[in-house]
Amino acid sequence: MSVFAQGAAAQAWPAKPIRLVVPFSAGGANDLMARAAAEGASKLLGQPVIVDNKPGAGAILGADVVAKSAPDGYTFLVSAAGVVSNSMIKKSMPYKDDALVPVAMIGLAPSVIVVPANAPYKDLKEFVAASKKSGSGFHWATAGTGSTPHFVEGILQTKYGSKLDVVPYKSGSESITAVLGNQVEATSEASIVVLPYVKGGKLKALAGTWTQRISAYPGLPTATEEGFPEIRIAHWAGVHAPRGTPDAIMDKMAAAVDAAMKSPEISKRLKDLGIEPIGGTRASFAKFVDEERARLGSVVKATGMKED
């Protein structure tokens, strides 16, 4: 599309409602971030931004819908780590990675490493040391192959020598239930999921897995602060568009999402839930995605992580 045509398209856009496809069920961290972004962006763009939940196949189903949609600026994907890692671990994919283009960062929910409330470890160092001394290793719950907890476990093993045995569950809520019931020794899950249990005394938090402490729980150190700088991962949400979407339209969408995340009302609402609003530019999000691809790719290679 010519520069003139792109400019004309951007001036006319949006002329109708915009669909934001969320490849997860309603109620989770990504869905909540998507709805906050949709609410804020719709006010700025002057058209409804409608959230369309299409869960399934480890977020591939919804991503495939967007990858094969018309690149006209009316269908976007609420992306997560799977948009980077799925092609690394899946035997086959219905679309190519470059069919989706980074547009904007929405926010992230840091992962929190948790153990049963009665566990004897006071911090992550003690947990890792105890796992090394254990005979058969500690059981670590994940939400399935390639999930964020699976990557946390992979980093703990390959970078820090932890002795962990993966126990895959169908969802993060199931893995948390397993820790609550002392069926496994530990897991990590999104702050929005685990903080209510931690604050209620039902789980013990050992560390956050992002670079900054969680706004809603500032007393919890990061893994980096505890001496594990390689553990830098979160449940993030961004916006991707079908390849071919005009740059001018993606620029407007990125600016709308950025402004939404900087809204005091939306920012406070997300932070109170344990979610960190980010926003930023198209360039900053593209850089983040490239860095995630390189970092997660190294973990996949080191662990041999593959689809079951």
Side-chain angles (χ1 to χ4, degrees):
M1 183 180 286
S2 69
V3 173
F4 176 80
Q6 283 209 15
Q11 286 178 3
W13 180 89
K16 62 181 181 179
I18 299 162
R19 181 167 66 142
L20 207 53
V21 176
V22 179
F24 302 97
S25 300
N30 288 76
D31 178 70
L32 289 168
M33 285 187 267
R35 291 179 188 278
E39 176 190 331
S42 66
K43 292 177 182 177
L44 294 158
L45 295 172
Q47 287 286 349
V49 179
I50 300 166
V51 173
D52 183 8
N53 295 92
K54 289 193 175 298
I60 291 175
L61 193 153
D64 186 44
V65 168
V66 177
K68 294 172 180 172
S69 293
D72 56 8
Y74 291 101
T75 303
F76 293 90
L77 173 72
V78 174
S79 49
V83 81
V84 171
S85 62
N86 276 332
S87 62
M88 301 175 186
I89 62 177
K90 299 291 184 182
K91 294 174 183 175
S92 64
M93 291 283 289
Y95 64 89
K96 293 184 178 180
D97 282 350
D98 63 4
L100 294 166
V101 181
V103 177
M105 182 71 155
I106 300 175
L108 56 87
S111 195
V112 179
I113 298 171
V114 291
V115 294
N118 60 355
Y121 334 106
K122 72 173 187 294
D123 55 29
L124 187 56
K125 284 183 180 179
E126 287 192 357
F127 172 82
V128 169
S131 76
K132 292 177 180 179
K133 294 176 181 177
S134 65
S136 57
F138 287 168
H139 293 100
W140 178 280
T142 75
T145 302
S147 62
T148 299
H150 197 182
F151 275 99
V152 173
E153 174 273 334
I155 296 167
L156 279 168
Q157 290 226 63
T158 60
K159 298 292 185 181
Y160 300 108
S162 301
K163 198 170 181 182
L164 303 172
D165 182 28
V166 169
V167 182
Y169 289 86
K170 293 180 180 179
S171 67
S173 59
E174 286 189 11
S175 65
I176 290 298
T177 298
V179 180
L180 288 166
N182 280 278
Q183 296 164 354
V184 297
E185 277 85 357
T187 190
S188 67
E189 194 45 70
S191 52
I192 185 174
V193 176
V194 302
L195 286 183
Y197 294 107
V198 173
K199 291 179 178 179
K202 295 181 179 179
L203 288 174
K204 182 187 293 185
L206 300 182
T209 66
W210 193 238
T211 53
Q212 291 88 33
R213 293 192 181 198
I214 302 166
S215 297
Y217 200 58
L220 178 66
T222 66
T224 297
E225 289 177 295
E226 294 196 33
F228 302 87
E230 296 288 342
I231 302 176
R232 181 170 62 86
I233 195 166
H235 300 255
W236 58 265
V239 176
H240 273 66
R243 176 163 291 283
T245 302
D247 285 339
I249 287 176
M250 291 193 287
D251 285 341
K252 282 182 79 171
M253 186 63 167
V257 172
D258 178 58
M261 292 303 102
K262 288 179 170 58
S263 157
E265 177 190 349
I266 290 175
S267 178
K268 183 180 185 305
R269 186 195 316 163
L270 292 177
K271 285 183 177 181
D272 286 348
L273 292 170
I275 294 170
E276 307 298 328
I278 303 295
T281 64
R282 281 179 62 197
S284 65
F285 183 47
K287 182 174 182 287
F288 172 84
V289 170
D290 287 344
E291 289 173 349
E292 283 290 281
R293 194 179 304 279
R295 204 161 52 81
L296 298 183
S298 69
V299 178
V300 170
K301 185 175 181 180
T303 61
M305 190 183 295
K306 289 294 178 185
E307 183 178 38
D308 296 334

